[in-house]
Amino acid sequence: MVLASLPYAGYSQTDSTAVDTNPPESKERPFVTLNPTDQVPQVRAIIPMDGANVFFLNHRGQIGAAKFSPGLSQIGWDLYSEIKLNALPSLALGPNYSILTASENELTQAFDSDKNAQLDFFQALLQDWPGRGKGVTITAGPVADQWGRIILALSPGSLNEGQPARARLVAWHPEHKKLVTVTESELLIDAFAINRDGLVASRLHMADYKDGYFVSLTDLPSFDSKQPDASPDPMPFTLPSLVIPAELTKNDPPVQLCFAHEGGKEKLLLPCPKSKHLIEILPEKLGNIWQGSILLRGKTERPVESIVEMSSGVILGGGSEGFVPLSGLSEPYRIMRITLAKDGVILFFNRSIDRFEGSKPENYSVKAIALNGGETTLAVVPVIESDGKAVILKTNAISAGTVLRVVCQNLPSEKGETLLSSAAFYTVHRR
């Protein structure tokens, strides 16, 4: 048995009393029993405790714990609960290593009350919300924000007679009087993540749209502890910010979202379990509008359903075939980023390109696909930067309200490598 005496873990780094539920005392836990090597945990959701330890939810609704070496090599795992929960694929960490889960109809907290490394005490924290009696259910969460609140997504419903039905992200805190809506959406929210600054990234459900998948980026209103029950004014509205084209995922919808930090940039990672594609978004903000690059980051050997950032730049995934470390791997030759220039676009690569092929205009295709329909093919003139890792594609004017589709038909690296994906995309809302 591997033992770990871990520090106190509450909802947030600054507020260890966020849950006023008189939890059973348990500030240490015998951590992981090494299981036989022929067994792997099924992983549906992951929540890190620190840089080496995680709790996870499996496909049977059981909660487990796992321990890793600094290089994300799995040391061992064990079930933390034999109870099978009807839980959505998300976990939040509460005081004293309690775990928060949500089903469609309840936010639940579970404790290890007798310090035997098993969750044995379960209590409902939330069972009522606006529209519950009219069929409004929880569709995603729980996720903790930087103020120690728990955020849940509710399916569309009208708060008052005659109002349009809208999906909502709501904030819950047991010390406050009511649920507070922090953003609204016309589309159902399938999954969401929150970064350290209160930016929410949501996967929006649009069943009738077959060409891609929508991600919204919405800044949460600041939380005022003096007015904890005040609704934001004006209310932020969650709109589709970015389109992930279906061709990039092989028509496999991305599931969970994860903010990650690499090379001084914040990214969004989205796994596609069936195609084993890992999508990377580099969001950029212009005024109050979000846009940015949408790229294929890699292809995983095993299905990945959940991703977490263990520490800056250290990323762990998990799926039906166990945990999948996503850091420290050899990186394929790929497009790293697209940015807009005054006279076109700039492509950045992680390796120097073949300059002979890279100088040929016929090796590039740039299309501007209007968000309201129609597309335009843009003529390009390539200019290679001195290090060979960036190409400026000079084009005609690029309009706002388009998705740029850039394809490099024949662009090997300097060493003859083939691009992981010849296509990359950029959603343009503003110039």
Side-chain angles (χ1 to χ4, degrees), residues 235-426:
M235 176 67 68
F237 202 76
T238 292
L239 296 168
S241 306
L242 299 153
V243 182
I244 302 174
E247 72 172 276
L248 210 56
T249 72
K250 288 193 172 180
N251 296 299
D252 181 22
V255 285
Q256 297 183 23
L257 306 93
C258 170
F259 284 100
H261 302 79
E262 292 176 323
K265 296 186 178 297
E266 185 168 59
K267 306 175 179 182
L268 265 175
L269 304 179
L270 299 93
C272 305
K274 292 181 181 178
S275 66
K276 301 179 184 177
H277 281 199
L278 183 58
I279 303 303
E280 178 177 284
I281 294 175
L282 287 90
E284 298 176 13
K285 192 174 187 181
L286 290 179
N288 61 348
I289 300 293
W290 287 95
Q291 53 190 39
S293 306
I294 302 99
L295 313 162
L296 180 62
R297 177 190 174 95
K299 300 176 183 178
T300 59
E301 293 183 0
R302 290 174 282 161
V304 172
E305 298 176 43
S306 180
I307 300 179
V308 296
E309 186 179 46
M310 300 291 286
S311 58
S312 185
V314 179
I315 302 160
L316 176 67
S320 58
E321 298 178 23
F323 289 102
V324 183
L326 297 173
S327 298
L329 307 176
S330 58
E331 190 172 46
Y333 168 52
R334 70 183 185 99
I335 301 169
M336 296 289 287
R337 183 163 56 103
I338 299 177
T339 61
L340 300 180
K342 290 182 179 180
D343 54 353
V345 297
I346 307 174
L347 302 180
F348 294 89
F349 301 83
N350 63 341
R351 313 256 213 282
S352 295
I353 66 169
D354 181 306
R355 292 175 181 272
F356 178 74
E357 296 295 344
S359 63
K360 297 178 180 179
E362 62 268 25
N363 283 341
Y364 303 92
S365 169
V366 179
K367 289 186 177 181
I369 304 166
L371 292 171
N372 58 1
E375 65 178 54
T376 303
T377 299
L378 304 177
V380 302
V381 177
V383 177
I384 303 172
E385 292 284 277
S386 59
D387 64 358
K389 291 185 177 181
V391 179
I392 302 170
L393 297 179
K394 295 186 176 183
T395 69
N396 299 331
I398 297 171
S399 302
T402 60
V403 173
L404 286 180
R405 180 179 183 267
V406 181
V407 178
C408 305
Q409 281 95 236
N410 179 30
L411 194 61
S413 74
E414 205 170 47
K415 295 181 179 180
E417 299 163 290
T418 301
L419 279 168
L420 170 70
S421 171
S422 61
F425 299 83
Y426 191 102

Side-chain angles (χ1 to χ4, degrees), residues 147 167-168 224 226 270 316:
W147 294 291
R168 292 173 173 82
D224 185 353
K226 296 179 181 179
L270 299 93
L316 176 67

Side-chain angles (χ1 to χ4, degrees), residues 8 10-20 92-95 100 107 109 125 142-152 170-176 194-196 198 220-225 228:
Y8 177 86
Y11 277 119
S12 71
Q13 298 294 322
T14 59
D15 183 4
S16 61
T17 61
V19 176
D20 184 18
L93 192 61
L100 280 86
L107 175 65
Q109 189 172 27
L125 296 181
V143 176
D145 72 6
Q146 72 272 42
W147 294 291
R149 302 179 299 178
I150 293 298
I151 311 297
L152 300 166
V170 296
W172 176 86
H173 196 300
E175 294 181 359
H176 304 150
I194 305 174
N195 77 356
R196 303 163 188 170
L220 277 183
S222 296
F223 174 66
D224 185 353
S225 59

Side-chain angles (χ1 to χ4, degrees), residues 23-26 80 110-121:
E25 287 296 321
S26 175
Y80 195 24
F111 300 98
D112 171 13
S113 64
D114 56 9
K115 304 181 184 180
N116 69 344
Q118 287 291 318
L119 295 174
D120 53 26
F121 181 85

